[in-house]
Amino acid sequence: MLSDEPRLLILGAHTDDAEYHAGGLASIYLQLGRTVKMVSVTDGGAGHHERSRDELIPLRRNEAAAAGRVIGASYETWDFPDGALQVSLDVRHRIIREIREFKPDLVLTHRTSDYHPDHRAVGQCVQDASYLVKVPHVVPDVPALRRDPVVAYMPRSEERRVGKECRSRW
């Protein structure tokens, strides 16, 4: 069973994906008094050309939490390695558990054809988890949902760029 109120879950690969790709919708949900949770599936440790993983991981976690606080959303950063995410049962089961526990009506995530391999992995794991959230013997420690949330894709960076190019040509 899903929640009585609309709830939004954003599953991004990196610590800036949820707010960059879906921050506007998250803000609207929150202004309407709805609940929003943003998740970075990876730890953010590969996203800088000079800082070490040991420096970067706590920095990215703090930045992500602060981004959530700005709009009033909760923000969680998981421990899967940034830049090395794989489609795996561990990731899929963590996503199933998150969807079941949070009970969102809408899940936003990356496309399975995205340019970034971490984005593709998250999108594929969410797609694989989408049916299985209703199967009781998969991740049996968390009760299965009775109905699926809507799963939609966040826009890709290149779609924003193409949209701007098209508008500027006309």
Side-chain angles (χ1 to χ4, degrees), residues 127-141:
Q127 182 178 350
D128 294 346
S130 295
Y131 172 78
L132 296 172
V133 296
K134 297 187 335 183
V135 179
H137 295 300
V138 175
V139 189
D141 58 305

Side-chain angles (χ1 to χ4, degrees), residues 77-164:
T77 303
W78 294 350
D79 294 322
F80 295 101
D82 184 7
L85 192 65
Q86 297 289 310
V87 175
S88 69
L89 287 176
D90 287 343
V91 177
R92 181 194 307 166
H93 288 173
R94 183 75 186 264
I95 289 170
I96 290 169
R97 191 170 278 108
E98 183 65 44
I99 291 171
R100 286 179 179 174
E101 289 173 349
F102 188 70
K103 298 177 181 71
D105 294 280
L106 176 60
V107 175
L108 295 180
T109 194
H110 301 287
R111 297 169 190 267
T112 57
S113 61
D114 198 281
Y115 71 97
H116 195 295
D118 288 348
H119 293 186
R120 288 193 306 270
V122 171
Q124 186 63 55
C125 286
V126 171
Q127 182 178 350
D128 294 346
S130 295
Y131 172 78
L132 296 172
V133 296
K134 297 187 335 183
V135 179
H137 295 300
V138 175
V139 189
D141 58 305
V142 182
L145 297 180
R146 297 185 68 165
R147 65 184 178 113
D148 292 312
V150 172
V151 177
Y153 297 121
M154 297 184 284
R156 295 181 294 206
S157 300
E158 59 269 21
E159 289 172 334
R160 293 171 191 250
R161 201 168 36 253
V162 168
K164 289 178 186 175

Side-chain angles (χ1 to χ4, degrees), residues 27-45:
S27 295
I28 291 168
Y29 258 69
L30 290 159
Q31 287 172 2
L32 294 172
R34 309 301 187 214
T35 303
V36 174
K37 184 172 186 180
M38 299 174 167
V39 173
S40 171
V41 174
T42 68
D43 61 15

